[in-house]
């Protein structure tokens, strides 16, 4: 009798295991695993527009930026603007094991000076001529691109090439200033100009880096 119960229990365990294997995976992982000697790095979740509001940055998140080491939500990462990334998985002992995960061609040979903003798995950055790119931070796949079509003759008004210092994000919008003096608000989901925020024409070209509205202005 004891042997029969033991075998019955074993069959029950095997049945449960097979049932669990039939369940769909809840987390998608990269198809290529890192090398065994490479350091483990905290990476943001894959970009998504279904579960988490896109670019849902507000005052509370910026004030508590240290609690989200996988994001870089403002120019200096925190309001103290120390530009310090706290994750400690990469150090002097394992940095040699790092390799290229992905690359993205900005299709320009002009100057690039933007600090990329990373929010919930999406990287927002600008290239020459104030072109904005949104990328999946895990894979490098382009999500959208916005070209403000800056007139090429505006280059004569610049001191340091047709560069742009990046974007600011706030409550689902991506803000940036174009080289010809326009201030844009784009929908973070698709890069379209937000209908509630028309481009603001400023009297001179914008060269300074973009900051969150509550940050101090720098030249």
């Amino acid at each position: 009798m004891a042997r029969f119960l033991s075998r019955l229990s074993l069959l029950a365990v095997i049945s449960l295991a097979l049932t669990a294997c039939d369940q769909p995976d809840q987390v998608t992982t990269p198809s290529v695993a890192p090398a065994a000697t490479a350091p483990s790095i905290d990476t943001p979740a894959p970009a998504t527009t279904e579960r988490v509001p896109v670019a849902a940055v507000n005052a509370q998140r910026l004030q508590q930026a240290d609690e989200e080491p996988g994001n870089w939500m403002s120019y200096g990462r925190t309001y103290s603007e120390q530009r310090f990334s706290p994750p400690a998985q990469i150090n002097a002992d394992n940095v040699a094991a790092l390799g290229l995960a992905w690359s993205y061609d900005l299709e320009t040979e002009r100057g690039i000076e933007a600090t990329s903003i990373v929010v919930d798995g999406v990287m927002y950055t600008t290239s020459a001529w104030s072109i904005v790119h949104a990328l999946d931070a895990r894979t490098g796949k382009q999500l959208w691109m916005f070209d403000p079509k800056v007139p090429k003759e505006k280059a004569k008004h610049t001191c340091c090439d047709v560069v742009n210092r990046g974007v600011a994000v706030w409550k689902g919008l991506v803000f940036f200033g174009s080289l010809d003096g326009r201030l844009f608000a784009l929908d973070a989901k698709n890069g379209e100009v937000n209908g509630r925020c028309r481009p603001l024409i400023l009297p001179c070209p914008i060269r300074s880096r973009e900051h969150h509205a509550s940050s101090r202005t720098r030249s």
Side-chain angles (χ1 to χ4, degrees):
M1 185 65 179
R3 181 178 298 177
F4 174 77
L5 292 176
S6 177
R7 290 180 178 177
L8 184 61
S9 299
L10 179 59
L11 288 174
V13 170
I14 294 174
S15 176
L16 289 174
L18 292 175
T19 302
C21 291
D22 291 337
Q23 300 300 319
D25 293 337
Q26 295 181 351
V27 179
T28 302
T29 56
S31 57
V32 180
T37 56
S40 175
I41 304 171
D42 286 339
T43 55
T48 176
T49 59
E50 297 178 359
R51 292 172 297 174
V52 180
V54 178
V57 176
N58 55 28
Q60 180 178 2
R61 289 189 74 182
L62 290 177
Q63 291 166 0
Q64 300 174 354
D66 274 331
E67 298 180 10
E68 300 185 46
N71 286 321
W72 196 286
M73 297 180 288
S74 62
Y75 180 78
R77 197 185 73 82
T78 61
Y79 275 143
S80 61
E81 296 203 347
Q82 298 302 302
R83 304 180 66 84
F84 175 74
S85 182
Q89 292 92 339
I90 303 174
N91 53 51
D93 296 328
N94 60 28
V95 66
L98 292 178
L100 178 65
W102 56 263
S103 64
Y104 177 76
D105 188 359
L106 292 172
E107 299 182 353
T108 182
E109 296 182 356
R110 308 297 292 261
I112 304 297
E113 297 186 0
T115 292
S116 298
I117 299 298
V118 179
V119 182
D120 300 329
V122 180
M123 176 182 292
Y124 305 92
T125 192
T126 57
S127 60
W129 296 109
S130 310
I131 297 175
V132 184
H133 303 263
L135 313 174
D136 186 316
R138 183 181 291 270
T139 65
K141 177 183 177 181
Q142 183 189 89
L143 303 177
W144 53 261
M145 183 268 288
F146 176 80
D147 185 351
K149 304 294 184 181
V150 175
K152 296 300 185 281
E153 61 267 22
K154 293 296 181 179
K156 66 183 180 182
H157 299 297
T158 65
C159 70
C160 317
D161 201 13
V162 290
V163 299
N164 188 281
R165 297 296 182 87
V167 305
V169 294
W170 180 254
K171 295 184 177 180
L173 296 177
V174 178
F175 297 90
F176 80 101
S178 62
L179 186 69
D180 55 346
R182 290 173 291 164
L183 180 63
F184 285 86
L186 307 179
D187 190 324
K189 293 185 296 185
N190 51 33
E192 296 180 0
V193 176
N194 189 279
R196 297 169 299 170
C197 306
R198 296 182 179 180
L200 174 66
I201 306 298
L202 301 179
C204 60
I206 296 177
R207 305 190 189 98
S208 62
R209 50 180 170 258
E210 301 300 311
H211 272 247
H212 179 262
S214 62
S215 298
R216 60 182 180 279
T217 302
R218 296 184 178 183
S219 59

